[in-house]
Amino acid sequence: MIAAVFNGPGELEVREVGVPAIGPDEVLLKVGANTLCGTDGRILRGEKTRGVRKPSILGHEFAGRVAEVGSRVEGFEVGDLVAMAPVIPCRRCFYCRNGLENACQNRQAMGYEFDGGMSEYVRIPAVALEAGNLFRVEEEVDPAYLALAEPLSCCVNGHRSSGIRLDGTVLILGAGPIGLFHLQLALLAGARSVIVSEPSEFRREFAARLGAHVVVDPLTEDLAAAVSETTGGLGVDSTIICIGLPRLVNDALHMTRKGGYINIFAGLSGKGWTEVEANLIHYNELKVTGTTAARRSDFETALKLIESGRIDVRPMLTDRFPLERTAEAISKAAGGEGLKVALIP
Ligand SMILES: [Zn+2]
Ligand SMILES: [Zn+2]
């Protein structure tokens, strides 16, 4: 089979490798699609090294069909359409026992610890099946859309801690795929006004088409004035930071109303150092939070939202490339032109 093999920073090679052999407690998945993500780029550039094996097959956003089932596996049959939550929690550590399995101390991930979806076939390890990370999909949905359950699951996790409520007002900083998912979730949750700030015209138009009430170019327009006007001078109930610019944290503190929520959803560049007017948190009783990865339950929710069409992921998938053209697909995903890019084996 063909796979995109990561040999070290800057070295990604699409080549022939053996189809993985599975054990009696494992499943072999025939990849229908693998969507690309910022994490893949960070691994390739050598910025993310923790847990990354070399060589390994990248890709953690994938879905496909069961091609082979180990003799002791129950609940899956050859031909089943499946999607996978790529973060496998240990289920024993403090965080796993206390509702924060997304921050598990012993978590293992598909796509660099275990070989991932930039490949024709993926071995689903026993530990993942045992933890319930592989989900059967009942509806016939394009695997490229199902693959988006992974980024959506992280947004579902972030949504839960963003304080978005019926008739609420929301500010989303950044309209890449993540910002656009948050936009759709906020609308689904009944937000009255969603303001999206995004420098790219292509992405602003996208946000408007998906239902954003106000779209602002922060480079040429006064975002704070737009927020003030939309919220009668109060500031928004919730701000979600979806671009990794540290200075946006202070902007968010200024544009969120008293008692409101700020979710630093994006990982901030560098170490994330920034100066903030911390007294705003004090006097305005702001709730500042963050989001990392997703729980299996968030993944299941995301999958159901996609299966039922309540979150429309179709327009978010702007490009498809054959696996052989992985390098081209990665540079496309890194540019501002498209949104989500899928590799199709
Ligand atoms: Zn991802
Ligand atoms: Zn754990």
Side-chain angles (χ1 to χ4, degrees), residues 40-93:
D40 302 318
R42 281 203 299 282
I43 294 172
L44 260 179
R45 291 190 298 273
E47 293 163 18
K48 177 180 169 59
T49 53
R50 204 181 134 238
V52 180
R53 281 181 308 109
K54 286 175 274 187
S56 63
I57 299 171
L58 301 184
H60 60 274
E61 302 180 358
F62 60 86
R65 290 200 183 270
V66 172
E68 198 186 328
V69 182
S71 58
R72 286 203 293 257
V73 172
E74 282 172 20
F76 292 98
E77 281 176 36
V78 171
D80 282 351
L81 186 60
V82 288
M84 180 166 190
V87 177
I88 306 160
C90 78
R91 296 172 290 151
R92 286 185 302 273
C93 75

Side-chain angles (χ1 to χ4, degrees), residues 170-183 194-210 212 214-224 226-227 239-245 247-248 251 255 266 316 333-339:
V170 182
L171 170 62
I172 295 173
L173 301 175
I178 293 296
L180 293 170
F181 277 136
H182 277 298
L183 163 64
V194 184
I195 305 163
V196 173
S197 168
E198 163 63 49
S200 147
E201 190 185 352
F202 165 78
R203 292 180 169 190
R204 276 201 309 279
E205 278 171 13
F206 225 98
R209 249 184 292 145
L210 284 173
V214 181
V215 286
V216 175
D217 177 356
L219 302 180
T220 60
E221 293 170 82
D222 186 345
L223 177 60
V227 166
T239 300
I240 308 176
I241 299 174
C242 303
I243 314 178
L245 292 177
R247 64 175 163 76
L248 294 181
D251 293 350
M255 292 185 284
M316 315 266 296
E337 294 288 287
L339 287 167

Side-chain angles (χ1 to χ4, degrees), residues 35-40 59-61 86 147 150-152 154 178 340:
T35 47
L36 298 176
C37 162
T39 306
D40 302 318
H60 60 274
E61 302 180 358
E150 195 278 331
L152 180 58
C154 300
I178 293 296
K340 290 301 279 189

Side-chain angles (χ1 to χ4, degrees), residues 139-155:
E139 299 291 326
E140 267 309 309
V141 180
D142 182 339
Y145 301 143
L146 295 176
L148 298 179
E150 195 278 331
L152 180 58
S153 72
C154 300
C155 296

